């Protein structure tokens, strides 16, 4: 009898505490405990955990824009900022991003991100000649310390993103152009910044039984000038998302991402800003808001327990560019994550 009462008591306690836990505790083992895959440094790990990840990102840009107005190629060539000999018409950017995370303690997660970037840009000249340039190289490796702040109990989590971007990327990409064989390519075709940059920010995550949400702000602050005597503009990112969990394995998300980026300071001697707008350091700044939808899949058990698959795609809902500058049309990120 006493035994049965004990069992009943334990059962009741479990029945009460399970749904309560789902409401009161932030759970790492849910599909939506990771942000949409386009967000990086969104979560921390428990002491001793390791996570490896791979992301494929693709971004497509077509047509020029000045302010919020779209321009024809002819209008871009004859823009008040010019006139120019050449304007870009289309660009595709692909990135393979390899990541590793390790938590030496519950209060510190270390993260390294290694990008490999390829870019392709189509152009048209004043004489209607078309040509394409290509670049492929490493991007800048980013090392980040993720430091939880506040209590590690309850349905909310917050951490600081303390990152350093190391200039492993290239600022020496060259290709043949009508201006000459093996010419230095303009600023947006390079794969690195050439500078050490701070990447500082904060991330907040919240969970309810079926829903979760989060926000992250990040500033990219350039610390010096690169070997070609210029510095990319600082970048300010702010994003927020809402996710709906369907069981433990699936979730879908909606996200808004705002970015503001500044002009290039200084200039590369080899680039002639009268030739093409992408070579003009004063025609680089802009701001954009993207809307994205995503899906996360999480495998909680079995051989590949701890694996995650995710996809996110979106398009700008607002963009204002110091133009003429290529406008963004859509972006996509797919990713694989494995924690052990
Ligand atoms: Cu991780």
């Amino acid at each position: 009898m006493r035994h049965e009462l004990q069992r009943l008591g334990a059962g009741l306690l479990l029945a009460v505490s399970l749904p309560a836990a789902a409401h009161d505790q932030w759970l790492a083992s849910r599909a939506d405990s990771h942000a949409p895959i386009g967000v990086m440094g969104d979560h921390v790990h428990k002491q001793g955990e390791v996570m490896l990840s791979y992301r494929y990102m693709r971004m497509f840009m077509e047509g020029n824009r000045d302010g919020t107005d779209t321009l024809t190629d002819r209008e871009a060539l004859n823009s008040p900022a010019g006139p120019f000999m050449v304007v870009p018409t289309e660009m595709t950017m692909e990135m393979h991003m390899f990541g590793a995370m390790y938590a030496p303690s519950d209060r510190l997660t270390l993260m390294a991100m290694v990008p490999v970037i390829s870019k392709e840009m189509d152009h048209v000249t004043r004489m209607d000649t078309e040509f394409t340039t290509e670049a492929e190289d490493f991007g800048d490796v980013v090392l980040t310390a993720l430091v939880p702040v506040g209590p590690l109990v309850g349905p909310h989590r917050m951490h600081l993103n303390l990152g350093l971007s190391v200039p492993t990327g290239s600022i020496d990409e060259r290709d043949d152009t009508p201006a000459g064989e093996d010419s230095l390519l303009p600023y947006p075709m390079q794969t690195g910044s050439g500078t050490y940059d701070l990447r500082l920010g904060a991330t907040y995550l919240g969970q309810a039984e079926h829903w979760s949400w989060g926000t992250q702000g990040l500033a990219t602050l350039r610390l010096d000038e690169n070997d070609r005597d210029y510095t990319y503009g600082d970048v300010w990112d702010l994003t927020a998302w809402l996710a709906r969990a369907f069981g433990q394995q699936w979730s879908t998300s909606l996200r808004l991402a705002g970015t503001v980026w500044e002009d290039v300071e200084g200039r590369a001697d080899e680039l002639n800003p009268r030739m093409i707008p992408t070579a003009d350091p004063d025609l680089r700044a802009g701001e954009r808001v993207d809307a994205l939808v995503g899906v996360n899949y999480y495998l909680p058990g079995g051989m590949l327990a701890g694996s995650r698959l995710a996809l996110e795609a979106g398009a700008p809902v607002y963009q204002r560019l110091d133009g003429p500058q290529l406008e963004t049309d859509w972006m996509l990120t797919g990713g694989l994550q494995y924690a052990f």
Side-chain angles (χ1 to χ4, degrees), residues 85-90 121-125 128-133 175-179 185 275-276:
M85 297 302 294
V86 181
V87 288
T89 56
E90 211 178 286
M121 194 184 268
D122 296 340
H123 310 75
V124 65
T125 71
D128 278 331
T129 316
E130 294 177 8
F131 69 98
T132 301
T133 58
D175 204 348
D176 298 340
T177 74
L185 292 175
M275 184 73 76
I276 177 166

Side-chain angles (χ1 to χ4, degrees), residues 14-27 30 153-157 204-213 244:
L14 201 69
V16 171
S17 66
L18 264 187
H23 285 109
D24 299 344
Q25 284 298 323
W26 193 88
L27 300 174
R30 285 171 47 158
V153 290
H156 308 284
R157 289 290 183 274
Y204 158 78
L205 308 170
Q207 259 182 11
E209 192 177 358
H210 298 296
W211 296 87
S212 65
W213 53 89
R244 173 73 162 87

